[in-house]
Amino acid sequence: MLNGKHLIAGEWVGGGEVFTSAPAQGESHAFASGGPAEVDRAVQAAEAAFWSYSALSRAKRAAFLERIADEIEARGAELTAIGSAETGLPTARLEGERGRTTGQLRLFARHILSDQFLDLRHDVALPDRQPLPRPDIRMMQRPVGPVAVFGASNFPLAFSTAGGDTASALAAGCPVVVKGHPAHPGTGEIVAQAVAAAIAACGVHPGVFSLIQGVGNDLGTALVQHPLITAVGFTGSLAGGRALFDLCARRDVPIPFYGELGSVNPVFLLPAALAARGEAVAKGWAGSLTMGAGQFCTNPGIVLVIDGPAADGFVAAAREAVAAVAAQVMLADGIAKAFRAGRDRVAASGGVREVISTPCDGRSATPAVFEVTGKDWLANHALSEEVFGPLGLIVRVTDADEMEAVARSLEGQLTCTLQMDAGDTDLARRLLPVLERKAGRVLANGFPTGVEVCEAMVHGGPYPASTNFGATSVGTMAIRRWLRPVSYQNLPEALLPEELR
């Protein structure tokens, strides 16, 4: 049952104005919309919780994460029902995303049972060293403090209330204050109920987790500017993320803002692969492009091909594959409106030719594909900007040199993909140093939609793909965002953290 309230330090509270959800189907619900007063209460509680929670043993933190996963699974049917109504996502997608969400929590539980993430170091004392002795110095990673997390629109479970940012922060020993996304407030509330049940069952401080619902910018502004917040995790638009990033930088005490802002994820279809299997790649690209109405941050929005008859065949096959995709419901009315505006902007750009595009209105989206020469693409920076949704742009370059020029012109990306056969090795070797400098993940002969949650994954990249190129929001390395190194010099054994003794 939904109560439409915030969860703050173990209590369901109202406060602030009220907003009404706008589901894709079914009835809407009223929710409290928080502001500075709710933020202050939640962050103060998180600060109070930090002292005991950060000192909790890794085994007890792991058990807490496991219990959150159990409580989410216990509410599986309820989450699928409300999630589908609010977002329009199909049952299978939500059930899979729920599995990813609980899998992330359990992955971090296992990860912290090992001390690898603590990066333990010890330089033993050298009292007889000349000309000066060396003290005993030990180092480990320690949690930074209360963390603010912004729920994402496109992943109501895996990147939202108890998603990867929350899981990794709790694993690190940091309390979390979540700003729920207004596109799926009911889903967020039920997940918060699961976290609250885990808090009660494990006996941790109730301030370790709070969920504040709301609309508008004031809530997010108050959260990132609160002096007790020590870091921020965000997944969303470039404009929204950059605004929050700037606020974090302008604070009296600046804090890190870990924003994952999306990208166009270019696919480089190299000549031998184009000649041998261009039609198959076109179908695969179309499937990846339109999956989930294109609402993935790793959606492959651009594909590069060397112009010629094989490129003509690729375009024809892509057109045929995209034409078979029906209209899909988007996550929110605003997202659908922004998609149409982006599609129209691309269509009106100089040198751009329509491959396929059909009208759509309301909350639905139909895929659109356009093509442009490499020269025109290079001359128009706006064509390299993400359009969130099922829009693809085929860039026809004249030769390998122009393909490399396009690669060098790219801004930071989450992913870059090489579609290549054995005959493309030399060109791929030429492109790889460029692409690995542009992206956090480089793929061969696949498509970037679908991010494996594992030890080696990097989901981030140079700006504007993310605001911190040294971080990832997926995989166990995500925990590093909420830790900082501390050295202990000549401390008595009894004062050292247990792991350093």
Side-chain angles (χ1 to χ4, degrees):
M1 297 292 293
L2 298 177
N3 58 51
K5 296 181 179 181
H6 317 292
L7 175 65
I8 299 178
E11 298 181 5
W12 293 98
V13 299
E17 299 179 356
V18 172
F19 73 97
T20 303
S21 63
Q25 57 193 7
E27 63 178 315
S28 60
H29 299 275
F31 293 88
S33 185
E38 289 72 36
V39 166
D40 184 62
R41 181 175 174 182
V43 178
Q44 293 286 355
E47 175 70 10
F50 175 75
W51 305 107
S52 61
Y53 186 69
S54 63
L56 209 61
S57 71
R58 287 179 284 129
K60 289 183 178 179
R61 289 210 304 270
F64 177 46
L65 294 171
E66 292 275 7
R67 186 58 183 259
I68 295 174
D70 292 343
E71 295 289 348
I72 289 173
E73 287 178 344
R75 294 160 176 78
E78 192 177 0
L79 282 168
T80 298
I82 188 67
S84 180
E86 288 185 325
T87 67
L89 293 173
T91 296
R93 156 68 191 273
L94 285 165
E95 290 177 347
E97 190 180 328
R98 187 177 74 245
R100 173 174 168 174
T101 305
T102 57
Q104 288 173 158
L105 288 158
R106 293 188 171 116
L107 175 65
F108 280 107
R110 295 191 299 271
H111 184 62
I112 61 174
L113 290 177
S114 164
D115 61 15
Q116 179 183 2
F117 78 103
L118 296 173
D119 192 17
L120 302 174
R121 304 184 185 201
H122 183 194
D123 291 302
V124 298
L126 298 175
D128 298 325
R129 189 183 69 174
Q130 296 298 326
L132 294 172
R134 184 175 76 186
D136 182 272
I137 303 177
R138 308 179 195 216
M139 188 275 282
M140 69 180 293
Q141 301 288 335
R142 297 296 295 156
V144 297
V147 168
V149 169
F150 285 72
S153 65
N154 59 336
F155 280 86
L157 296 171
F159 273 92
S160 288
T161 308
D165 287 348
T166 298
S168 56
L170 291 175
C174 297
V176 174
V177 178
V178 176
K179 179 196 176 295
H181 199 285
H184 43 77
T187 307
E189 182 185 316
I190 294 172
V191 173
Q193 292 175 13
V195 180
I199 288 172
C202 296
V204 300
H205 192 297
V208 76
F209 174 88
S210 292
L211 169 69
I212 306 175
Q213 307 271 28
V215 294
N217 298 326
D218 291 347
L219 173 57
T221 298
L223 186 55
V224 303
Q225 291 187 320
H226 196 289
L228 295 177
I229 289 294
T230 57
V232 179
F234 173 89
T235 298
S237 70
L238 173 59
R242 182 54 196 253
L244 293 171
F245 174 82
D246 290 343
L247 288 175
C248 288
R250 289 200 300 265
R251 286 176 32 144
D252 290 340
V253 178
I255 58 173
F257 178 85
Y258 297 104
E260 190 271 282
L261 309 179
S263 62
V264 294
N265 306 294
V267 176
F268 292 78
L269 179 48
L270 305 191
L274 175 62
R277 50 188 179 89
E279 182 176 344
V281 174
K283 292 179 180 178
W285 177 66
S288 182
L289 180 74
T290 60
M291 182 187 300
Q295 298 170 113
F296 293 96
C297 44
T298 53
N299 189 40
I302 291 178
V303 61
L304 291 96
V305 295
I306 294 178
D307 203 7
D312 295 339
F314 174 86
V315 172
R319 181 192 299 113
E320 182 179 358
V322 167
V325 178
Q328 299 177 74
V329 177
M330 301 199 82
L331 292 158
D333 294 328
I335 292 174
K337 182 178 179 181
F339 166 72
R340 290 193 291 273
R343 178 201 60 193
D344 295 345
R345 170 180 58 79
V346 171
S349 298
V352 170
R353 300 176 298 279
E354 179 183 303
V355 174
I356 183 171
S357 181
T358 55
C360 55
D361 55 20
R363 195 159 164 170
S364 67
T366 53
V369 175
F370 302 91
E371 62 178 356
V372 68
T373 66
K375 179 181 178 181
D376 286 334
W377 193 91
L378 287 166
N380 186 355
H381 177 270
L383 295 177
S384 66
E385 297 173 1
E386 180 186 27
V387 176
F388 191 66
L391 182 142
L393 184 61
I394 301 169
V395 182
R396 291 179 179 248
V397 297
T398 55
D399 53 23
D401 289 342
E402 190 169 66
M403 182 174 280
E404 182 180 357
V406 170
R408 289 181 179 274
S409 75
L410 291 169
E411 294 184 315
Q413 304 291 324
L414 294 171
T415 72
C416 288
T417 300
L418 291 166
Q419 286 286 345
M420 57 175 290
D421 284 356
D424 296 312
T425 301
D426 288 343
L427 179 53
R429 186 180 291 115
R430 175 180 169 185
L431 290 171
L432 184 57
V434 180
L435 302 187
E436 67 183 10
R437 190 175 180 186
K438 299 291 184 179
R441 177 163 56 113
V442 181
L443 302 78
N445 295 333
F447 295 98
T449 42
V451 182
E452 186 69 28
V453 183
C454 62
E455 299 280 351
M457 177 53 64
V458 173
H459 189 61
Y463 186 84
S466 61
T467 56
N468 190 309
F469 60 78
T472 175
S473 61
V474 177
T476 55
M477 200 172 71
I479 198 172
R480 293 185 182 180
R481 298 172 296 170
W482 324 120
L483 298 165
R484 66 180 184 88
V486 177
S487 288
Y488 301 86
Q489 183 170 323
N490 287 340
L491 260 68
E493 187 90 358
L495 292 183
L496 287 169
E498 181 179 350
E499 291 86 354
L500 285 177
R501 294 174 189 172

